[in-house]
Amino acid sequence: MPIPFDASIVLVLHGDEIPFFAVDKFDSYQELMRRAQSLTIAGPVEFRMCRAAAQGHGLEPGEIHGFVKVVPMADAELVRLQEEEGYVYMQ
């Protein structure tokens, strides 16, 4: 019998939440960032960020917390996750 929640969640960030993940905003959002990072350490959640959207917010990959994987384009990542890795899209 499968274990409930025996899966992972990938959050693909591509909107107004992006600035929260900027290293230089850590003092303002440190509790949120600590919680987000703890979810990645525990294993069930991954954060991926759209590089194009981050650049639209004036951020480069090196300015984003290291627990967030930067991907070239959010839409392409969503399609790839569904087609290649079997994820289901939820909004």
Side-chain angles (χ1 to χ4, degrees):
M1 175 177 201
I3 300 170
F5 303 109
D6 186 24
S8 64
I9 298 169
V10 177
L11 296 163
V12 181
L13 311 170
H14 58 95
D16 291 335
E17 70 283 355
I18 287 175
F20 298 138
F21 292 84
V23 172
D24 68 352
K25 301 286 186 188
F26 182 73
D27 289 342
S28 298
Y29 303 112
Q30 65 179 291
E31 182 60 28
L32 177 63
M33 289 303 99
R34 288 181 201 278
R35 287 180 186 209
Q37 184 179 27
S38 74
L39 292 170
T40 65
I41 292 169
V45 177
E46 290 180 51
F47 291 89
R48 299 186 189 173
M49 182 179 291
C50 174
R51 174 177 287 152
Q55 289 172 335
H57 285 275
L59 296 167
E60 293 297 326
E63 298 172 293
I64 304 299
H65 287 288
F67 67 90
V68 178
K69 178 181 179 183
V70 178
V71 297
M73 184 181 219
D75 291 340
E77 184 67 4
L78 291 169
V79 169
R80 192 191 69 70
L81 286 167
Q82 292 173 78
E83 290 184 1
E84 296 178 15
E85 296 189 33
Y87 280 87
V88 175
Y89 178 75
M90 295 177 68
Q91 187 173 12

